[in-house]
Amino acid sequence: MGTFQVGLLLIGTFALLLALSVPVSVSIIISSVVTMASTLSLDLGTFVASQRMVGGVDSFSLLALSVPVSVSIIISSVVTMASTLSLDLGTFVASQRMVGGVDSFSLLAVPFYILCGVLMNTGGIAQKLIDFAKILVGRIPGGLAHTNILGNTLFGSLSGSSVAASVAIGGVLIPMEEKEGYDKKFAAAVNIASAPTGLIIPPSGILIIYPVLAGCSVVGMIMSGYIPGLMWALACMVVAYVIAKKNHYPTAGKVPASVFFKYFVDAIPSLLLIVIIVGGVMSGIFTATESAAVAVAYTLFLSIVVYRSIKIKDLPKILLDACETTAVIMFLIAGSNVMSFVMSFTGLPSAIGNALISVSSNKYVILLIINLVLLVVGCFMDITPAVLIFTPIFLPVVQSFGMDPIHFGIMMVMNLGIGNITPPVGSSLFSGCSVADMDMEDMIKPILPFYAAIFVALMLVAYVPWFSMALPTLFGAV
């Protein structure tokens, strides 16, 4: 049996077991044993599998036991090092790599962007953006659906959170759409499908974390997200337009000039955040990291002084929420740095690269395989740990055939963003279903057309570098 057929057997067996609701860790073990048995004997395959499980604690097994992702990464990495070094030395190296992993000036932006997102979510900014979006796209067939998409794009780009966008925007618009005669499943699908645009359009914490891992320009990574994020939103709007036209969903009436002016003026202070961040970074007034602190100061000013939606007494709880989220993410980054070192130490990235090249020497085929793998990974893993784990694995592979790290980064974030709206662990899918008061099973069919449109946008970004590299190149950030 050839290498390609063996690979297909492994993937096919794993997918079949998952479809039969077999736990992920058990599926991994069984599919691996079956694949080894196809080239070795069943007894030898079972023996090798047992030996490898004992020799190195599998992080997926720890995840199946409900051990937190960061702790699973650290334990599996230390045990793997201990199998070749001593346990004391492995622990020492792990501790050293964890401290080094978070000792980065660029990562200072992460807690600030998280705090900015929490302030946005509680600062009454969502309604201002909804009103503004409605006057812009309300007259298009399916106007409220387009308002939801544009609202998610604007709010998500400011807060950097897909979950916050789906809750804040969807919580207002889904009842409005239902009242206007829209199908509730369609309204919920629109809200869920457009929520992850906030992960791609800056400011976004993941666009700060990735360049630290990849060693590329933070400014370039930030600038690369605008066009792909707008492509995602446009893909959702095309699907919404076709469905709205088919079902004769209503459009909004003509908006008087005075109303348009009022909503526009109300939204200006919020929209200025994007101008301040991008303009400040590109003009050299402050760095990409410092822009996060500026964003917090401006958002705090809007929420307390301009909109008066946050009181001073609310700040301790807001700061505590931001600190908790920051602690989780930073500990995860520290743990992933240990795993990156272990993977480099064991030669895993080069082994995976050689395995991909053995399947095909065509870079387009390899890129398609990587995209498909990341789509599957996104279904089972949150975006931050997935980026931390798989960047050191796939980045050397794509760099070997000349792909820019910034281009690969935005492609990876888009892939994993799709996982954010797919079962079984899509956080935006769950939050969107919760807001709409619907079961996840009822959402699969209505959201399928949006998956298809977003996948087309993903393939354009993956195979046409211009979409992700045009702005970084234009502003000299690469």
Side-chain angles (χ1 to χ4, degrees):
M1 185 179 290
T3 305
F4 183 68
Q5 288 85 352
V6 171
L8 287 179
L9 176 63
L10 175 64
I11 296 171
T13 307
F14 180 62
L16 176 62
L17 291 168
L18 288 179
L20 296 173
S21 300
V22 178
V24 175
S25 56
V26 179
S27 301
I28 290 172
I29 296 168
I30 294 176
S31 58
S32 299
V33 170
V34 169
T35 304
M36 284 191 288
S38 68
T39 53
L40 310 172
S41 66
L42 179 60
D43 291 340
L44 184 55
T46 307
F47 170 75
V48 171
S50 303
Q51 186 184 51
R52 298 306 297 171
M53 288 177 66
V54 173
V57 176
D58 181 44
S59 60
F60 288 103
S61 301
L62 291 169
L63 290 173
L65 296 172
S66 298
V67 178
V69 175
S70 52
V71 178
S72 301
I73 289 172
I74 294 167
I75 292 176
S76 58
S77 300
V78 169
V79 173
T80 302
M81 283 192 288
S83 66
T84 53
L85 308 172
S86 66
L87 180 59
D88 289 343
L89 184 56
T91 306
F92 171 76
V93 172
S95 303
Q96 189 181 48
R97 299 302 299 185
M98 287 178 68
V99 173
V102 294
D103 184 17
S104 169
F105 178 73
S106 297
L107 288 179
L108 284 175
V110 174
F112 284 113
Y113 276 133
I114 290 171
L115 178 56
C116 184
V118 176
L119 288 169
M120 284 280 179
N121 200 29
T122 56
I125 293 173
Q127 187 61 53
K128 309 291 183 184
L129 297 177
I130 289 172
D131 293 339
F132 177 65
K134 191 173 180 180
I135 61 173
L136 285 182
V137 296
R139 299 191 68 186
I140 302 173
L144 286 178
H146 295 294
T147 301
N148 196 331
I149 295 168
L150 185 57
N152 274 344
T153 302
L154 292 173
F155 187 81
S157 66
L158 295 175
S159 68
S161 170
S162 59
V163 173
S166 66
V167 172
I169 306 298
V172 174
L173 282 170
I174 290 176
M176 290 175 60
E177 291 177 62
E178 194 175 8
K179 186 178 179 180
E180 291 287 335
Y182 289 71
D183 179 60
K184 189 177 182 181
K185 293 180 181 178
F186 167 73
V190 167
N191 181 50
I192 293 167
S194 58
T197 50
L199 296 172
I200 305 168
I201 301 177
S204 169
I206 199 65
L207 298 185
I208 301 292
I209 295 170
Y210 170 81
V212 173
L213 290 171
C216 60
S217 167
V218 175
V219 176
M221 194 67 212
I222 289 175
M223 296 306 298
S224 71
Y226 284 102
I227 295 177
L230 293 175
M231 288 171 66
W232 184 310
L234 182 61
C236 291
M237 293 183 81
V238 169
V239 175
Y241 177 86
V242 172
I243 295 175
K245 198 79 173 173
K246 178 182 177 183
N247 293 292
H248 306 289
Y249 289 141
T251 60
K254 187 176 181 180
V255 179
S258 59
V259 175
F260 181 94
F261 182 75
K262 178 183 181 301
Y263 287 158
F264 176 68
V265 170
D266 286 346
I268 284 177
S270 300
L271 297 175
L272 273 177
L273 177 62
I274 300 175
V275 178
I276 290 171
I277 291 176
V278 176
V281 171
M282 299 317 301
S283 63
I285 297 175
F286 43 75
T287 67
T289 304
E290 292 165 346
S291 70
V294 173
V296 169
Y298 184 73
T299 306
L300 202 58
F301 172 76
L302 283 184
S303 302
I304 295 177
V305 179
V306 179
Y307 297 141
R308 298 182 181 179
S309 52
I310 292 179
K311 296 179 173 58
I312 299 297
K313 66 179 182 179
D314 299 327
L315 289 180
K317 185 180 183 304
I318 290 172
L319 292 172
L320 181 61
D321 290 343
C323 287
E324 288 176 351
T325 305
T326 300
V328 171
I329 292 177
M330 297 303 280
F331 189 56
L332 192 55
I333 293 171
S336 70
N337 198 52
V338 182
M339 178 170 273
S340 298
F341 172 77
V342 172
M343 286 190 293
S344 176
F345 177 74
T346 57
L348 182 61
S350 60
I352 292 177
N354 292 333
L356 287 172
I357 293 172
S358 70
V359 173
S360 173
S361 59
N362 189 313
K363 66 178 182 180
Y364 300 108
V365 174
I366 294 174
L367 197 57
L368 179 62
I369 294 172
I370 291 175
N371 274 282
L372 294 176
V373 170
L374 290 175
L375 284 172
V376 173
V377 167
C379 293
F380 298 98
M381 190 176 289
D382 194 41
I383 187 168
T384 302
V387 166
L388 293 171
I389 292 171
F390 288 93
T391 295
I393 294 176
F394 289 132
L395 184 58
V397 177
V398 298
Q399 283 183 309
S400 69
F401 54 74
M403 190 175 191
D404 192 278
I406 292 176
H407 180 197
F408 172 72
I410 206 67
M411 181 195 83
M412 185 182 212
V413 171
M414 282 192 75
N415 269 289
L416 299 173
I418 294 174
N420 211 246
I421 57 174
T422 54
V425 295
S427 54
S428 294
L429 177 63
F430 283 121
S431 61
C433 289
S434 177
V435 166
D437 193 23
M438 298 184 67
D439 293 330
M440 186 175 69
E441 293 78 9
D442 297 330
M443 288 308 308
I444 302 303
K445 186 177 179 181
I447 206 171
L448 284 177
F450 293 96
Y451 286 149
I454 294 168
F455 183 77
V456 171
L458 169 64
M459 290 296 99
L460 286 172
V461 171
Y463 287 102
V464 184
W466 183 88
F467 291 114
S468 56
M469 300 303 297
L471 291 181
T473 303
L474 179 65
F475 289 101
V478 291

